[in-house]
Amino acid sequence: MNGARMPPSSTGVTGRYIAYNHIVARPSMTQQKPAGAASVALGTIRNIERRERGDTDDTLDAIAAALGVTPCGLIAYGEHASTRTRDALPALAAAITAYDGPFPSAA
């Protein structure tokens, strides 16, 4: 899935969790190791950690796999919804609106 890039987190939690997982939990791991394993640029990891760049679902999945954690382990609960869910909301709202009206009476 090609998700839209999320804006940098207002809390920076995702970046802090990524940094924690390669600095504290695995002290010998540099930013280069998860970047290489996730096939993302080193600058991507750096910028997410610094809250200078948002992430995509695909990038987050790849970084999580490289760190040996689940993607949920890198985001704060409710920090952002998955791209698929967020993208589906307008169509869902339109469908609800189309059915939210007077229903014909059964004769």
Side-chain angles (χ1 to χ4, degrees):
M1 172 184 73
N2 283 331
R5 183 177 299 163
M6 297 298 297
S9 166
S10 59
T11 61
V13 173
T14 300
R16 284 185 288 185
Y17 287 164
I18 291 170
Y20 169 83
N21 275 283
H22 79 79
I23 295 171
V24 177
R26 295 164 192 81
S28 63
M29 183 179 281
T30 64
Q31 288 175 328
Q32 185 108 24
K33 289 181 182 179
S39 299
V40 299
L42 177 59
T44 298
I45 301 260
R46 285 184 180 146
N47 291 335
I48 292 171
E49 287 183 3
R50 293 179 186 156
R51 294 177 27 198
E52 295 173 357
R53 169 198 165 126
D55 55 69
T56 64
D57 290 342
D58 293 338
T59 301
L60 192 63
D61 289 345
I63 293 170
L67 292 170
V69 299
T70 66
C72 293
L74 297 179
I75 58 174
Y77 178 74
E79 183 178 351
H80 55 69
S82 77
T83 302
R84 289 182 299 246
T85 303
R86 190 181 58 255
D87 291 346
L89 289 177
L92 181 59
I96 290 170
T97 301
Y99 288 100
D100 189 24
F103 293 99
S105 60

